[in-house]
Amino acid sequence: MSIVWIVDDDRSIRWVLEKALDREGIAHRSFESAAEVRSALEHDVPTLLVSDVRMPGESGLSLLKSIKANHPQLPVIIMTAFSDLDTAVQAFQGGAFEYLPKPFDVEQAIALIRRAVSANPNADADATTSANAATKPEEREMLGKAAAMQDVFRAIGRLSSSHVTVLITGESGTGKELVARALHEHSPRKGKPFIAINTAAIPKDLLESELFGHERGSFTGAAATRQGRFQQAEGGTLFLDEIGDMPADLQVRLLRVLQDGEYYRVGGQAPMKSNVRIIAATHQNLDERVKLGLFREDLLHRLNVVRLRLPPLRERRDDVPLLMKHFLAKSAISLGGEVKALTPAAMAQLQSFAFPGNVRQLENICHWITVMAPGQNVDTGDLPPEVQFASAPSASAGGAASPNPNPLSARESGASSIPSASVGFEHQAASNGNGDGVAAASAGMHSLRPDHMSASLGDTEAWRNALSSSLATAIRANEAAPGERLTKEFEETLIRTALAETKGRRIEASHWLGWGRNTLTRKIHELGLDEKV
């Protein structure tokens, strides 16, 4: 029996998922339409169905309704565009196990598929073992000889016998989720569930139910009781990624869980006990967000028991040759090409590159080289354009990590201090986020013009005065919630400018804005800019 069935009229999406499932050794079967799935269901039933929403003929939502009527135990993952909130809500209310927003991260999709297969009570043991087998140790290997790597080894070792809450900070692509997995796998909770959720990737309308679950009949379309992530992670670890983007009302609910160890499902009357270890991560400065009133100080104190900072790849340049060798070999296997070799000049150019996308970008560059470099020996002229023409970074290429600009101490933050560390892992996703749902071969950053990177003190003072004057005028006019309007106008200006300067490249724009890609996508949708940018 095929464990996973994929139905999508887009051949490229099917191909990406098929290749990913092949690498994981998960049996699968693909279909182009809902009609083909209906025909196949007359002879066989999969362990999991992954379906697109919009297809010629019958839609994925109609197929979902039929499957839930005839095969109620069969989990269904619905793929849908993130900006299509109504579709996401319909899928959720129609009984979908989960929805997978496009563009999706391949590794996260595989992790979701494993979880869904395990949730099927009718799955045979072989199917569950195949889909949910632990990743091979060598595929999770922490790569690096830099001092920062030794720091992370020591940090995980010190935390190995602990259930303590950990806050992981660092730029996108530094491996925050993979560090969280390593902390879980070396803790007393090893063997229990590890559940990850990106709080920035889920619309705020659905996030509460995602976290805490809901009772049957709690809202229109809630035909069955649904477990939330806290219940799914019971006894194990719940990883809350991009915690800095969590809406304020849900910050209150999360704080209560951390304080009291219990929560309520949406529409529920009885408290649910929670025995879950929380590991949170963010690329943002939560201390600054507290000062701006965007994050609760009491929640920060609850999360900030131990803080682990993952410095960017540019602070551990000596590890670049080791990481390049590893990911070039991996790319040759996955893409069916020969293993490329870098000349000393090419390696030096890479070591001087800033890597704004960190280890994830390095892996994507390896994919690009494997596909695009004409020969086996790769020189500087064969490197991606963003590497060839990058200006020299201010940090030295010698590999010594620069000092932490904001050293952490227990006295200053109320948290135990853990030395900074950065890691390179096998499972780094390669996604360009440009809306096609297919993993990217390159995710380079292009430098903005220097004249756009700075502003005089006078300019800064001018726009601050203008903002202050606008708010004061609105308050005197008794306008309702002028701060909300001005905040939206401010964010819209930031988004439009960043996208204009980066020629519409959202990953690059999110980098300059200091947001995650999912955060930028969510804000574009919430501000109604989908058709305008």
PDB file of all heavy atoms in Angstrom, residues 264-298:
ATOM      1  N   TYR A 264      -7.252  25.889  28.209  1.00  0.00           N
ATOM      2  CA  TYR A 264      -8.590  25.517  27.759  1.00  0.00           C
ATOM      3  C   TYR A 264      -8.600  25.443  26.243  1.00  0.00           C
ATOM      4  O   TYR A 264      -8.016  26.293  25.566  1.00  0.00           O
ATOM      5  CB  TYR A 264      -9.636  26.548  28.217  1.00  0.00           C
ATOM      6  CG  TYR A 264      -9.875  26.576  29.708  1.00  0.00           C
ATOM      7  CD1 TYR A 264      -9.044  27.307  30.550  1.00  0.00           C
ATOM      8  CD2 TYR A 264     -10.930  25.865  30.268  1.00  0.00           C
ATOM      9  CE1 TYR A 264      -9.261  27.344  31.920  1.00  0.00           C
ATOM     10  CE2 TYR A 264     -11.166  25.896  31.639  1.00  0.00           C
ATOM     11  CZ  TYR A 264     -10.326  26.627  32.456  1.00  0.00           C
ATOM     12  OH  TYR A 264     -10.545  26.636  33.807  1.00  0.00           O
ATOM     13  N   ARG A 265      -9.255  24.426  25.712  1.00  0.00           N
ATOM     14  CA  ARG A 265      -9.495  24.411  24.277  1.00  0.00           C
ATOM     15  C   ARG A 265     -10.449  25.547  23.918  1.00  0.00           C
ATOM     16  O   ARG A 265     -11.203  26.032  24.767  1.00  0.00           O
ATOM     17  CB  ARG A 265     -10.126  23.086  23.841  1.00  0.00           C
ATOM     18  CG  ARG A 265      -9.186  21.897  23.829  1.00  0.00           C
ATOM     19  CD  ARG A 265      -9.959  20.643  23.476  1.00  0.00           C
ATOM     20  NE  ARG A 265      -9.092  19.481  23.343  1.00  0.00           N
ATOM     21  CZ  ARG A 265      -9.497  18.232  23.417  1.00  0.00           C
ATOM     22  NH1 ARG A 265     -10.777  17.971  23.632  1.00  0.00           N
ATOM     23  NH2 ARG A 265      -8.645  17.232  23.282  1.00  0.00           N
ATOM     24  N   VAL A 266     -10.424  25.960  22.658  1.00  0.00           N
ATOM     25  CA  VAL A 266     -11.391  26.946  22.193  1.00  0.00           C
ATOM     26  C   VAL A 266     -12.792  26.352  22.345  1.00  0.00           C
ATOM     27  O   VAL A 266     -13.074  25.270  21.838  1.00  0.00           O
ATOM     28  CB  VAL A 266     -11.139  27.319  20.719  1.00  0.00           C
ATOM     29  CG1 VAL A 266     -12.230  28.272  20.222  1.00  0.00           C
ATOM     30  CG2 VAL A 266      -9.763  27.954  20.561  1.00  0.00           C
ATOM     31  N   GLY A 267     -13.658  27.032  23.080  1.00  0.00           N
ATOM     32  CA  GLY A 267     -15.002  26.526  23.334  1.00  0.00           C
ATOM     33  C   GLY A 267     -15.072  25.527  24.463  1.00  0.00           C
ATOM     34  O   GLY A 267     -16.147  25.018  24.775  1.00  0.00           O
ATOM     35  N   GLY A 268     -13.947  25.245  25.117  1.00  0.00           N
ATOM     36  CA  GLY A 268     -13.928  24.249  26.179  1.00  0.00           C
ATOM     37  C   GLY A 268     -14.238  24.841  27.542  1.00  0.00           C
ATOM     38  O   GLY A 268     -14.013  26.024  27.795  1.00  0.00           O
ATOM     39  N   GLN A 269     -14.750  24.006  28.438  1.00  0.00           N
ATOM     40  CA  GLN A 269     -15.085  24.432  29.790  1.00  0.00           C
ATOM     41  C   GLN A 269     -14.169  23.810  30.831  1.00  0.00           C
ATOM     42  O   GLN A 269     -13.991  24.358  31.918  1.00  0.00           O
ATOM     43  CB  GLN A 269     -16.548  24.047  30.120  1.00  0.00           C
ATOM     44  CG  GLN A 269     -17.576  24.633  29.166  1.00  0.00           C
ATOM     45  CD  GLN A 269     -17.598  26.141  29.195  1.00  0.00           C
ATOM     46  OE1 GLN A 269     -17.486  26.750  30.265  1.00  0.00           O
ATOM     47  NE2 GLN A 269     -17.756  26.766  28.035  1.00  0.00           N
ATOM     48  N   ALA A 270     -13.574  22.666  30.507  1.00  0.00           N
ATOM     49  CA  ALA A 270     -12.718  21.972  31.464  1.00  0.00           C
ATOM     50  C   ALA A 270     -11.250  22.266  31.166  1.00  0.00           C
ATOM     51  O   ALA A 270     -10.837  22.241  30.005  1.00  0.00           O
ATOM     52  CB  ALA A 270     -12.973  20.465  31.396  1.00  0.00           C
ATOM     53  N   PRO A 271     -10.468  22.547  32.200  1.00  0.00           N
ATOM     54  CA  PRO A 271      -9.039  22.817  31.972  1.00  0.00           C
ATOM     55  C   PRO A 271      -8.297  21.553  31.543  1.00  0.00           C
ATOM     56  O   PRO A 271      -8.629  20.448  31.963  1.00  0.00           O
ATOM     57  CB  PRO A 271      -8.550  23.324  33.325  1.00  0.00           C
ATOM     58  CG  PRO A 271      -9.491  22.721  34.323  1.00  0.00           C
ATOM     59  CD  PRO A 271     -10.818  22.647  33.633  1.00  0.00           C
ATOM     60  N   MET A 272      -7.292  21.738  30.684  1.00  0.00           N
ATOM     61  CA  MET A 272      -6.439  20.646  30.215  1.00  0.00           C
ATOM     62  C   MET A 272      -5.064  20.821  30.858  1.00  0.00           C
ATOM     63  O   MET A 272      -4.480  21.889  30.797  1.00  0.00           O
ATOM     64  CB  MET A 272      -6.299  20.692  28.694  1.00  0.00           C
ATOM     65  CG  MET A 272      -7.603  20.690  27.923  1.00  0.00           C
ATOM     66  SD  MET A 272      -8.290  19.054  27.735  1.00  0.00           S
ATOM     67  CE  MET A 272      -7.081  18.303  26.641  1.00  0.00           C
ATOM     68  N   LYS A 273      -4.577  19.765  31.507  1.00  0.00           N
ATOM     69  CA  LYS A 273      -3.255  19.807  32.095  1.00  0.00           C
ATOM     70  C   LYS A 273      -2.197  19.719  30.997  1.00  0.00           C
ATOM     71  O   LYS A 273      -2.369  19.035  30.000  1.00  0.00           O
ATOM     72  CB  LYS A 273      -3.072  18.666  33.086  1.00  0.00           C
ATOM     73  CG  LYS A 273      -3.919  18.793  34.340  1.00  0.00           C
ATOM     74  CD  LYS A 273      -3.450  19.970  35.199  1.00  0.00           C
ATOM     75  CE  LYS A 273      -4.239  20.064  36.504  1.00  0.00           C
ATOM     76  NZ  LYS A 273      -3.808  21.234  37.313  1.00  0.00           N
ATOM     77  N   SER A 274      -1.081  20.393  31.204  1.00  0.00           N
ATOM     78  CA  SER A 274      -0.021  20.407  30.203  1.00  0.00           C
ATOM     79  C   SER A 274       1.312  20.050  30.844  1.00  0.00           C
ATOM     80  O   SER A 274       1.750  20.683  31.809  1.00  0.00           O
ATOM     81  CB  SER A 274       0.095  21.797  29.555  1.00  0.00           C
ATOM     82  OG  SER A 274       1.190  21.852  28.665  1.00  0.00           O
ATOM     83  N   ASN A 275       1.943  18.997  30.306  1.00  0.00           N
ATOM     84  CA  ASN A 275       3.294  18.613  30.710  1.00  0.00           C
ATOM     85  C   ASN A 275       4.168  18.692  29.464  1.00  0.00           C
ATOM     86  O   ASN A 275       4.438  17.694  28.807  1.00  0.00           O
ATOM     87  CB  ASN A 275       3.304  17.208  31.302  1.00  0.00           C
ATOM     88  CG  ASN A 275       4.719  16.722  31.591  1.00  0.00           C
ATOM     89  OD1 ASN A 275       5.645  17.517  31.772  1.00  0.00           O
ATOM     90  ND2 ASN A 275       4.896  15.406  31.605  1.00  0.00           N
ATOM     91  N   VAL A 276       4.571  19.891  29.117  1.00  0.00           N
ATOM     92  CA  VAL A 276       5.291  20.144  27.876  1.00  0.00           C
ATOM     93  C   VAL A 276       6.485  21.043  28.179  1.00  0.00           C
ATOM     94  O   VAL A 276       6.379  22.008  28.934  1.00  0.00           O
ATOM     95  CB  VAL A 276       4.370  20.842  26.841  1.00  0.00           C
ATOM     96  CG1 VAL A 276       5.164  21.317  25.648  1.00  0.00           C
ATOM     97  CG2 VAL A 276       3.280  19.876  26.389  1.00  0.00           C
ATOM     98  N   ARG A 277       7.620  20.703  27.578  1.00  0.00           N
ATOM     99  CA  ARG A 277       8.773  21.599  27.663  1.00  0.00           C
ATOM    100  C   ARG A 277       8.688  22.603  26.514  1.00  0.00           C
ATOM    101  O   ARG A 277       8.478  22.213  25.359  1.00  0.00           O
ATOM    102  CB  ARG A 277      10.082  20.819  27.547  1.00  0.00           C
ATOM    103  CG  ARG A 277      11.315  21.718  27.649  1.00  0.00           C
ATOM    104  CD  ARG A 277      12.573  20.977  27.250  1.00  0.00           C
ATOM    105  NE  ARG A 277      13.770  21.711  27.612  1.00  0.00           N
ATOM    106  CZ  ARG A 277      15.000  21.322  27.333  1.00  0.00           C
ATOM    107  NH1 ARG A 277      15.195  20.182  26.662  1.00  0.00           N
ATOM    108  NH2 ARG A 277      16.027  22.043  27.700  1.00  0.00           N
ATOM    109  N   ILE A 278       8.855  23.860  26.814  1.00  0.00           N
ATOM    110  CA  ILE A 278       8.784  24.911  25.797  1.00  0.00           C
ATOM    111  C   ILE A 278      10.190  25.326  25.379  1.00  0.00           C
ATOM    112  O   ILE A 278      11.030  25.650  26.213  1.00  0.00           O
ATOM    113  CB  ILE A 278       8.023  26.148  26.315  1.00  0.00           C
ATOM    114  CG1 ILE A 278       6.570  25.787  26.636  1.00  0.00           C
ATOM    115  CG2 ILE A 278       8.074  27.275  25.290  1.00  0.00           C
ATOM    116  CD1 ILE A 278       5.745  25.408  25.422  1.00  0.00           C
ATOM    117  N   ILE A 279      10.445  25.279  24.072  1.00  0.00           N
ATOM    118  CA  ILE A 279      11.634  25.888  23.496  1.00  0.00           C
ATOM    119  C   ILE A 279      11.124  26.905  22.481  1.00  0.00           C
ATOM    120  O   ILE A 279      10.359  26.558  21.584  1.00  0.00           O
ATOM    121  CB  ILE A 279      12.545  24.851  22.811  1.00  0.00           C
ATOM    122  CG1 ILE A 279      13.039  23.820  23.835  1.00  0.00           C
ATOM    123  CG2 ILE A 279      13.737  25.545  22.149  1.00  0.00           C
ATOM    124  CD1 ILE A 279      13.914  22.740  23.238  1.00  0.00           C
ATOM    125  N   ALA A 280      11.502  28.151  22.645  1.00  0.00           N
ATOM    126  CA  ALA A 280      11.049  29.220  21.759  1.00  0.00           C
ATOM    127  C   ALA A 280      12.228  29.772  20.978  1.00  0.00           C
ATOM    128  O   ALA A 280      13.388  29.647  21.393  1.00  0.00           O
ATOM    129  CB  ALA A 280      10.369  30.333  22.558  1.00  0.00           C
ATOM    130  N   ALA A 281      11.935  30.371  19.830  1.00  0.00           N
ATOM    131  CA  ALA A 281      12.992  30.939  18.995  1.00  0.00           C
ATOM    132  C   ALA A 281      12.489  32.199  18.317  1.00  0.00           C
ATOM    133  O   ALA A 281      11.285  32.351  18.060  1.00  0.00           O
ATOM    134  CB  ALA A 281      13.461  29.932  17.949  1.00  0.00           C
ATOM    135  N   THR A 282      13.414  33.098  18.022  1.00  0.00           N
ATOM    136  CA  THR A 282      13.061  34.320  17.311  1.00  0.00           C
ATOM    137  C   THR A 282      14.309  34.902  16.669  1.00  0.00           C
ATOM    138  O   THR A 282      15.427  34.691  17.148  1.00  0.00           O
ATOM    139  CB  THR A 282      12.450  35.362  18.261  1.00  0.00           C
ATOM    140  OG1 THR A 282      12.081  36.530  17.525  1.00  0.00           O
ATOM    141  CG2 THR A 282      13.430  35.770  19.351  1.00  0.00           C
ATOM    142  N   HIS A 283      14.095  35.614  15.558  1.00  0.00           N
ATOM    143  CA  HIS A 283      15.194  36.356  14.944  1.00  0.00           C
ATOM    144  C   HIS A 283      15.168  37.818  15.396  1.00  0.00           C
ATOM    145  O   HIS A 283      16.028  38.606  15.016  1.00  0.00           O
ATOM    146  CB  HIS A 283      15.095  36.299  13.418  1.00  0.00           C
ATOM    147  CG  HIS A 283      13.964  37.104  12.862  1.00  0.00           C
ATOM    148  ND1 HIS A 283      12.655  36.684  12.916  1.00  0.00           N
ATOM    149  CD2 HIS A 283      13.940  38.314  12.263  1.00  0.00           C
ATOM    150  CE1 HIS A 283      11.884  37.593  12.361  1.00  0.00           C
ATOM    151  NE2 HIS A 283      12.632  38.602  11.957  1.00  0.00           N
ATOM    152  N   GLN A 284      14.182  38.172  16.208  1.00  0.00           N
ATOM    153  CA  GLN A 284      14.003  39.554  16.625  1.00  0.00           C
ATOM    154  C   GLN A 284      14.595  39.798  18.011  1.00  0.00           C
ATOM    155  O   GLN A 284      14.825  38.859  18.784  1.00  0.00           O
ATOM    156  CB  GLN A 284      12.512  39.902  16.642  1.00  0.00           C
ATOM    157  CG  GLN A 284      11.838  39.676  15.304  1.00  0.00           C
ATOM    158  CD  GLN A 284      10.435  40.233  15.270  1.00  0.00           C
ATOM    159  OE1 GLN A 284      10.246  41.438  15.341  1.00  0.00           O
ATOM    160  NE2 GLN A 284       9.449  39.366  15.154  1.00  0.00           N
ATOM    161  N   ASN A 285      14.812  41.053  18.328  1.00  0.00           N
ATOM    162  CA  ASN A 285      15.288  41.455  19.645  1.00  0.00           C
ATOM    163  C   ASN A 285      14.074  41.632  20.552  1.00  0.00           C
ATOM    164  O   ASN A 285      13.374  42.649  20.487  1.00  0.00           O
ATOM    165  CB  ASN A 285      16.093  42.753  19.538  1.00  0.00           C
ATOM    166  CG  ASN A 285      16.742  43.143  20.852  1.00  0.00           C
ATOM    167  OD1 ASN A 285      16.213  42.885  21.930  1.00  0.00           O
ATOM    168  ND2 ASN A 285      17.902  43.773  20.768  1.00  0.00           N
ATOM    169  N   LEU A 286      13.802  40.635  21.386  1.00  0.00           N
ATOM    170  CA  LEU A 286      12.605  40.694  22.216  1.00  0.00           C
ATOM    171  C   LEU A 286      12.692  41.777  23.277  1.00  0.00           C
ATOM    172  O   LEU A 286      11.660  42.338  23.676  1.00  0.00           O
ATOM    173  CB  LEU A 286      12.372  39.329  22.878  1.00  0.00           C
ATOM    174  CG  LEU A 286      11.991  38.181  21.936  1.00  0.00           C
ATOM    175  CD1 LEU A 286      11.610  36.940  22.741  1.00  0.00           C
ATOM    176  CD2 LEU A 286      10.829  38.577  21.022  1.00  0.00           C
ATOM    177  N   ASP A 287      13.900  42.083  23.741  1.00  0.00           N
ATOM    178  CA  ASP A 287      14.028  43.154  24.721  1.00  0.00           C
ATOM    179  C   ASP A 287      13.567  44.486  24.125  1.00  0.00           C
ATOM    180  O   ASP A 287      12.885  45.279  24.792  1.00  0.00           O
ATOM    181  CB  ASP A 287      15.474  43.262  25.193  1.00  0.00           C
ATOM    182  CG  ASP A 287      15.959  41.987  25.862  1.00  0.00           C
ATOM    183  OD1 ASP A 287      15.434  41.666  26.941  1.00  0.00           O
ATOM    184  OD2 ASP A 287      16.821  41.306  25.290  1.00  0.00           O
ATOM    185  N   GLU A 288      13.917  44.731  22.856  1.00  0.00           N
ATOM    186  CA  GLU A 288      13.469  45.948  22.190  1.00  0.00           C
ATOM    187  C   GLU A 288      11.966  45.922  21.955  1.00  0.00           C
ATOM    188  O   GLU A 288      11.292  46.945  22.088  1.00  0.00           O
ATOM    189  CB  GLU A 288      14.213  46.122  20.863  1.00  0.00           C
ATOM    190  CG  GLU A 288      15.660  46.527  21.012  1.00  0.00           C
ATOM    191  CD  GLU A 288      15.815  47.877  21.712  1.00  0.00           C
ATOM    192  OE1 GLU A 288      15.003  48.779  21.431  1.00  0.00           O
ATOM    193  OE2 GLU A 288      16.724  48.009  22.551  1.00  0.00           O
ATOM    194  N   ARG A 289      11.440  44.750  21.615  1.00  0.00           N
ATOM    195  CA  ARG A 289       9.993  44.654  21.376  1.00  0.00           C
ATOM    196  C   ARG A 289       9.212  44.878  22.675  1.00  0.00           C
ATOM    197  O   ARG A 289       8.097  45.386  22.653  1.00  0.00           O
ATOM    198  CB  ARG A 289       9.642  43.306  20.749  1.00  0.00           C
ATOM    199  CG  ARG A 289      10.146  43.187  19.316  1.00  0.00           C
ATOM    200  CD  ARG A 289       9.739  41.877  18.659  1.00  0.00           C
ATOM    201  NE  ARG A 289       8.315  41.811  18.352  1.00  0.00           N
ATOM    202  CZ  ARG A 289       7.732  42.396  17.321  1.00  0.00           C
ATOM    203  NH1 ARG A 289       8.435  43.138  16.484  1.00  0.00           N
ATOM    204  NH2 ARG A 289       6.436  42.250  17.105  1.00  0.00           N
ATOM    205  N   VAL A 290       9.788  44.486  23.797  1.00  0.00           N
ATOM    206  CA  VAL A 290       9.161  44.774  25.092  1.00  0.00           C
ATOM    207  C   VAL A 290       9.099  46.285  25.309  1.00  0.00           C
ATOM    208  O   VAL A 290       8.065  46.838  25.714  1.00  0.00           O
ATOM    209  CB  VAL A 290       9.934  44.081  26.236  1.00  0.00           C
ATOM    210  CG1 VAL A 290       9.479  44.638  27.586  1.00  0.00           C
ATOM    211  CG2 VAL A 290       9.714  42.579  26.183  1.00  0.00           C
ATOM    212  N   LYS A 291      10.200  46.981  25.013  1.00  0.00           N
ATOM    213  CA  LYS A 291      10.234  48.437  25.185  1.00  0.00           C
ATOM    214  C   LYS A 291       9.222  49.129  24.282  1.00  0.00           C
ATOM    215  O   LYS A 291       8.662  50.164  24.644  1.00  0.00           O
ATOM    216  CB  LYS A 291      11.637  48.962  24.879  1.00  0.00           C
ATOM    217  CG  LYS A 291      12.700  48.505  25.870  1.00  0.00           C
ATOM    218  CD  LYS A 291      14.078  49.012  25.467  1.00  0.00           C
ATOM    219  CE  LYS A 291      15.151  48.528  26.427  1.00  0.00           C
ATOM    220  NZ  LYS A 291      16.510  48.968  26.017  1.00  0.00           N
ATOM    221  N   LEU A 292       8.978  48.545  23.091  1.00  0.00           N
ATOM    222  CA  LEU A 292       8.029  49.138  22.146  1.00  0.00           C
ATOM    223  C   LEU A 292       6.589  48.732  22.438  1.00  0.00           C
ATOM    224  O   LEU A 292       5.669  49.165  21.744  1.00  0.00           O
ATOM    225  CB  LEU A 292       8.401  48.720  20.714  1.00  0.00           C
ATOM    226  CG  LEU A 292       9.745  49.236  20.184  1.00  0.00           C
ATOM    227  CD1 LEU A 292      10.079  48.577  18.844  1.00  0.00           C
ATOM    228  CD2 LEU A 292       9.705  50.752  20.030  1.00  0.00           C
ATOM    229  N   GLY A 293       6.396  47.885  23.440  1.00  0.00           N
ATOM    230  CA  GLY A 293       5.046  47.451  23.787  1.00  0.00           C
ATOM    231  C   GLY A 293       4.496  46.377  22.870  1.00  0.00           C
ATOM    232  O   GLY A 293       3.290  46.141  22.847  1.00  0.00           O
ATOM    233  N   LEU A 294       5.377  45.708  22.129  1.00  0.00           N
ATOM    234  CA  LEU A 294       4.937  44.682  21.180  1.00  0.00           C
ATOM    235  C   LEU A 294       5.059  43.268  21.740  1.00  0.00           C
ATOM    236  O   LEU A 294       4.577  42.319  21.119  1.00  0.00           O
ATOM    237  CB  LEU A 294       5.758  44.789  19.882  1.00  0.00           C
ATOM    238  CG  LEU A 294       5.657  46.126  19.156  1.00  0.00           C
ATOM    239  CD1 LEU A 294       6.621  46.153  17.974  1.00  0.00           C
ATOM    240  CD2 LEU A 294       4.228  46.377  18.687  1.00  0.00           C
ATOM    241  N   PHE A 295       5.718  43.130  22.875  1.00  0.00           N
ATOM    242  CA  PHE A 295       5.866  41.807  23.492  1.00  0.00           C
ATOM    243  C   PHE A 295       5.798  41.971  25.006  1.00  0.00           C
ATOM    244  O   PHE A 295       6.340  42.925  25.571  1.00  0.00           O
ATOM    245  CB  PHE A 295       7.210  41.181  23.096  1.00  0.00           C
ATOM    246  CG  PHE A 295       7.256  39.689  23.293  1.00  0.00           C
ATOM    247  CD1 PHE A 295       6.740  38.835  22.338  1.00  0.00           C
ATOM    248  CD2 PHE A 295       7.817  39.139  24.440  1.00  0.00           C
ATOM    249  CE1 PHE A 295       6.781  37.457  22.510  1.00  0.00           C
ATOM    250  CE2 PHE A 295       7.849  37.764  24.635  1.00  0.00           C
ATOM    251  CZ  PHE A 295       7.334  36.919  23.661  1.00  0.00           C
ATOM    252  N   ARG A 296       5.106  41.042  25.658  1.00  0.00           N
ATOM    253  CA  ARG A 296       4.887  41.147  27.100  1.00  0.00           C
ATOM    254  C   ARG A 296       6.185  40.870  27.864  1.00  0.00           C
ATOM    255  O   ARG A 296       6.863  39.855  27.628  1.00  0.00           O
ATOM    256  CB  ARG A 296       3.818  40.153  27.557  1.00  0.00           C
ATOM    257  CG  ARG A 296       2.422  40.464  27.034  1.00  0.00           C
ATOM    258  CD  ARG A 296       1.433  39.459  27.619  1.00  0.00           C
ATOM    259  NE  ARG A 296       1.353  39.568  29.069  1.00  0.00           N
ATOM    260  CZ  ARG A 296       0.461  40.310  29.726  1.00  0.00           C
ATOM    261  NH1 ARG A 296      -0.431  41.015  29.035  1.00  0.00           N
ATOM    262  NH2 ARG A 296       0.448  40.344  31.038  1.00  0.00           N
ATOM    263  N   GLU A 297       6.491  41.753  28.797  1.00  0.00           N
ATOM    264  CA  GLU A 297       7.712  41.577  29.578  1.00  0.00           C
ATOM    265  C   GLU A 297       7.630  40.349  30.469  1.00  0.00           C
ATOM    266  O   GLU A 297       8.613  39.606  30.620  1.00  0.00           O
ATOM    267  CB  GLU A 297       7.972  42.827  30.432  1.00  0.00           C
ATOM    268  CG  GLU A 297       9.280  42.772  31.202  1.00  0.00           C
ATOM    269  CD  GLU A 297       9.565  44.052  31.954  1.00  0.00           C
ATOM    270  OE1 GLU A 297       8.640  44.889  32.075  1.00  0.00           O
ATOM    271  OE2 GLU A 297      10.710  44.212  32.418  1.00  0.00           O
ATOM    272  N   ASP A 298       6.452  40.081  31.059  1.00  0.00           N
ATOM    273  CA  ASP A 298       6.331  38.922  31.937  1.00  0.00           C
ATOM    274  C   ASP A 298       6.476  37.611  31.156  1.00  0.00           C
ATOM    275  O   ASP A 298       7.047  36.638  31.656  1.00  0.00           O
ATOM    276  CB  ASP A 298       5.012  38.945  32.717  1.00  0.00           C
ATOM    277  CG  ASP A 298       3.800  39.266  31.854  1.00  0.00           C
ATOM    278  OD1 ASP A 298       3.952  39.383  30.616  1.00  0.00           O
ATOM    279  OD2 ASP A 298       2.695  39.410  32.400  1.00  0.00           O
TER     280      ASP A 298
END
